[in-house]
Amino acid sequence: MKEVSSRVRTISDIVTTIAVVAAAASLVWRVFASPAIGTGRQVAVTELDGDIQPRDDVARLGSPTAGIALIEFVDFECPFCRRYAQDALKVIEREYIEPRHVQYLSLHLPLDEIHPHALDAAQAAQCAAAAGLYWQMHGRLFGESRPLERKVLLTNAVDLGLPGSSFEECLQGQTDSAITHDRSEAQRLGVVSTPTFLIGAVQSDGRIRLRRRIVGAQPYRVFKDALDEALAGK
């Protein structure tokens, strides 16, 4: 009887162990293999072979003559874009953009299927860009604690000195072509989540030859390593 009981306990222990291992494997699979749309999940830097011709009116930081470009696809309602903007971007700006080593381009990818105000926010930023105030609006949107409803966007525009009536008119679709262009480029390049970053060499015609892709609100060190490699011609 003791032998039977011992065997039962052994079988039970084996079943329990298998269940624990299966649960752990399932967790690992969900973390590393599931889609990353709209997340800041840690993803390694990947090689990229392609190119992009930015819009003439693309929002840009830094010198347009810098030979290396860092491109961000941004969603203003994405919490991971906000975290990146308030953290790593500030260091990148100080260490690479202001010294004229790298130019920084901001492209729109509003994920409005999961962020209900993302498209309106992208329109607001692009409307501000027409007045040369894209980065001021960029800072306000990522510093905003309220939902990015139109009345909040209008308040921020007025605070920046933009006429309310013309801004509201702009929000009715005047910036759709720019946002559609950026979305099409994202689709062509396989960009499906925000923030996603592309690093490449600027060509003489303004086209950017792409070499690296970074997905998610990665720490500054990830960007530093990738930008240093690009600047070294690797």
Side-chain angles (χ1 to χ4, degrees):
M1 188 63 126
K2 290 183 178 179
E3 183 178 351
V4 172
S5 177
S6 177
R7 286 180 179 177
V8 169
R9 285 198 302 272
T10 300
I11 293 172
S12 176
D13 290 345
I14 292 173
V15 171
T16 300
T17 301
I18 291 173
V20 171
V21 170
S26 175
L27 177 60
V28 170
W29 175 258
R30 290 198 303 271
V31 170
F32 292 104
S34 59
I37 294 178
T39 74
R41 189 167 295 146
Q42 301 295 302
V43 179
V45 179
T46 57
E47 300 292 326
L48 181 62
D49 185 14
D51 57 56
I52 185 171
Q53 179 71 59
R55 291 180 282 107
D56 291 338
D57 62 343
V58 66
R60 189 187 312 262
L61 279 177
S63 171
T65 63
I68 296 297
L70 174 58
I71 302 166
E72 178 189 9
F73 283 94
V74 64
D75 174 327
F76 288 102
E77 207 171 18
C78 166
F80 301 100
C81 294
R82 177 194 297 265
R83 187 174 73 190
Y84 163 79
Q86 296 176 345
D87 187 7
L89 176 56
K90 294 182 178 181
V91 187
I92 293 169
E93 187 170 1
R94 183 180 70 241
E95 298 297 325
Y96 291 93
I97 299 170
E98 291 176 358
R100 305 169 69 89
H101 301 318
V102 170
Q103 53 178 289
Y104 192 91
L105 283 64
S106 180
L107 277 66
H108 299 291
L109 185 57
L111 302 176
D112 44 337
E113 67 274 15
I114 56 174
H115 297 145
H117 306 301
L119 181 56
D120 283 349
Q123 291 174 331
Q126 198 59 32
C127 289
L133 295 172
Y134 177 88
W135 294 105
Q136 289 85 340
M137 180 64 80
H138 179 283
R140 281 183 167 269
L141 294 177
F142 281 132
E144 184 60 70
S145 59
R146 298 167 291 179
L148 298 179
E149 300 173 346
R150 287 209 169 191
K151 61 183 180 181
V152 173
L153 301 177
L154 178 59
T155 297
N156 278 284
V158 171
D159 288 346
L160 289 174
L162 297 172
S165 57
S166 59
F167 184 82
E168 284 190 284
E169 184 179 349
C170 183
L171 289 178
Q172 302 305 316
Q174 291 184 17
T175 64
D176 285 355
S177 61
I179 296 170
T180 298
H181 176 277
D182 291 354
R183 279 175 149 172
S184 296
E185 287 294 87
Q187 183 177 24
R188 181 179 66 84
L189 294 166
V191 175
V192 297
S193 63
T194 58
T196 291
F197 307 87
L198 310 178
I199 298 175
V202 183
Q203 308 300 297
S204 59
D205 62 353
R207 186 171 293 276
I208 300 170
R209 188 67 182 168
L210 302 172
R211 289 290 178 261
R212 300 282 190 281
R213 184 199 310 265
I214 302 173
V215 180
Q218 303 288 347
Y220 166 69
R221 171 60 64 179
V222 173
F223 293 95
K224 174 176 171 55
D225 291 346
L227 290 171
D228 286 349
E229 287 184 0
L231 290 166
K234 297 179 181 179

